[in-house]
Amino acid sequence: MIQATRRIWAMGAAAAAFSLLAACAERGVVMYADPRPDASIEVMYVATQRALGKANDTFGEKRNATLNHFRAEISVPPNHEVGQIEWPRGTPDASRHFVITQSSLLPDSAQMARQIAAERRTGDTMIFVHGYNNTLSEAMYRFAQIKTDYGVTGPGVLFSWQSAGNPRGYIYDRDSVLFARDDLVETIRQVARHSDERVFLLAHSMGAQLMMEALRQIALTGDLALLDRVATVALISPDIDPDLFRDQVTTVGTLRAPILVFVSREDWALGLASLITGSKERLGVISSGAQVEGLDVRVIDVSGLEDGKDMNHATAFTSAAAVGVLRGLIDEARGGRQPFPGYIALTGDNLKR
């Protein structure tokens, strides 16, 4: 008991120190540059509550009530390493950095969905929701990195809610998640309505709470046809109270495939979140399937694939080993095949209970 308590406080102290440093660190900003023939292009559509024309948000500012839409082409450099975002430091260069090569505004979610349908080549449409302490710039480049590393061939939609983009903004961000539910539901509805394929829903950290709240809201309206359009739901390091998650899943009911929950027992960011929310562990750090027993959920523990980056809070995105293993698992889930049990712990060499 004493050892566990010491570990919690050590985790909290380290996370607090990290937050202090992060508050002082310079945040990356998306930059434009000319395209290069040896770089790859990731096309994404963005639905965001953020005011456009600003590089980053200001902590505590009034939330924007308008949902904005645009299309962007993000160039991924030929020297890209799996799990990395090659941020521009100084003059942006498409041969070495992530850069934007083209963007255009769209009038509304319906027009965005129609354009997605017109440009579709293959695959489900992936809708990605970022987590706490994210700027729009960070979310855009992270999504481009995910699409590249996971080989996503279908269209991609980033839903960017109004995170403060500040480590001090945890409570502000939790309120912003609730503020964003209606807009995310509308985005899912429009994309699904105009798509010949189904939608794949991916969410990280506090964005997982937003995703589950949106699905719960859809279920409460009785729109079962919309829920049937969902191919897969994957939650990465979800910052959700396990009791709340049980209620959300129970309300949503059975989807086409079990919800995938990726956890890490050494997620220091969620360790800090548990202290802020009353020392109760978050869904993203559970160590067994007991807390989701009876739910149509699969828990994948990536603790054995950690790389130490970002407080082990985004291992599924930042660890090359994790990407290599999880890419196959997610493909199987999207194909409707679930060959693994309710809880598995992954290592670089094997899959085991």
Side-chain angles (χ1 to χ4, degrees):
M1 179 67 178
I2 294 176
Q3 184 178 8
T5 301
R6 285 176 178 170
R7 181 175 177 275
I8 289 174
W9 282 110
M11 181 183 294
F18 176 87
S19 295
L20 181 61
L21 291 173
C24 301
E26 182 181 353
R27 305 293 285 261
V29 177
V30 294
M31 296 183 180
Y32 284 83
D34 293 331
R36 290 285 298 255
D38 53 349
S40 60
I41 297 293
E42 291 291 352
V43 176
M44 74 173 61
Y45 292 84
V46 181
T48 181
Q49 296 177 314
R50 302 176 192 264
L52 301 181
K54 296 176 59 179
N56 289 320
D57 292 328
T58 301
F59 175 45
E61 70 179 2
K62 183 178 179 181
R63 294 181 180 90
N64 183 38
T66 302
L67 189 63
N68 295 301
H69 303 82
F70 63 95
R71 178 187 185 276
E73 295 185 7
I74 296 181
S75 176
V76 179
N79 65 332
H80 170 65
E81 297 181 11
V82 174
Q84 303 295 313
I85 297 175
E86 287 80 13
W87 282 96
R89 303 300 179 191
T91 303
D93 180 351
S95 67
R96 297 182 294 119
H97 308 130
F98 276 64
V99 296
I100 295 183
T101 59
Q102 190 177 105
S103 66
S104 57
L105 292 174
L106 297 167
D108 52 39
S109 58
Q111 178 58 37
M112 181 185 74
R114 283 192 291 268
Q115 189 160 332
I116 291 171
E119 292 186 0
R120 173 185 302 280
R121 295 294 179 268
T122 182
D124 300 330
T125 300
M126 175 182 284
I127 299 178
F128 173 59
V129 181
H130 62 77
Y132 150 72
N133 185 26
N134 265 231
T135 66
L136 177 58
S137 294
E138 291 164 343
M140 289 176 66
Y141 279 3
R142 175 64 73 194
F143 191 30
Q145 178 247 317
I146 292 169
K147 289 195 69 191
T148 295
D149 291 351
Y150 277 89
V152 178
T153 58
V157 178
L158 166 65
F159 183 86
S160 184
W161 50 282
Q162 294 182 84
S163 165
N166 190 303
R168 297 170 297 161
Y170 187 81
I171 302 303
Y172 178 92
D173 278 13
R174 291 186 72 184
D175 290 342
S176 292
V177 160
L178 300 180
F179 187 79
R181 286 177 298 188
D182 290 348
D183 283 338
L184 178 55
V185 169
E186 178 62 15
T187 299
I188 295 172
R189 177 172 287 115
Q190 289 292 345
V191 171
R193 177 182 298 167
H194 291 86
S195 175
D196 293 332
E197 305 290 339
R198 294 186 170 84
V199 293
F200 175 23
L201 305 180
L202 175 67
H204 177 232
S205 184
M206 199 179 284
Q209 169 124 314
L210 172 54
M211 185 68 78
M212 290 306 302
E213 282 294 298
L215 290 172
R216 180 178 183 273
Q217 191 160 309
I218 292 170
L220 288 173
T221 62
D223 195 346
L224 300 182
L226 180 54
L227 290 178
D228 189 57
R229 301 292 295 164
V230 176
T232 310
V233 179
L235 309 178
I236 311 296
S237 306
D239 187 359
I240 308 177
D241 181 294
D243 294 335
L244 175 60
F245 180 67
R246 176 171 290 276
D247 178 72
Q248 290 167 332
V249 175
T250 300
T251 301
V252 171
T254 302
L255 299 174
R256 284 185 165 270
I259 296 173
L260 305 180
V261 178
F262 295 86
V263 306
S264 170
R265 288 169 278 115
E266 301 299 328
D267 187 326
W268 284 38
L270 290 184
L272 177 60
S274 71
L275 293 177
I276 295 174
T277 56
S279 296
K280 182 176 180 180
E281 71 176 7
R282 312 302 284 169
L283 180 66
V285 295
I286 61 175
S287 56
S288 74
Q291 287 182 280
V292 295
E293 186 175 358
L295 301 178
D296 194 26
V297 170
R298 299 290 183 269
V299 178
I300 300 95
D301 188 336
V302 299
S303 301
L305 304 176
E306 290 164 352
D307 56 7
K309 298 173 185 173
D310 295 334
M311 301 174 71
N312 293 326
H313 189 49
T315 301
F317 303 148
T318 63
S319 166
V323 171
V325 173
L326 298 181
R327 182 169 172 172
L329 278 178
I330 292 176
D331 285 345
E332 289 176 345
R334 292 168 70 185
R337 300 180 298 279
Q338 300 284 336
F340 48 89
Y343 174 89
I344 57 173
L346 304 184
T347 69
D349 303 318
N350 61 358
L351 305 179
K352 59 183 181 181
R353 286 178 189 260

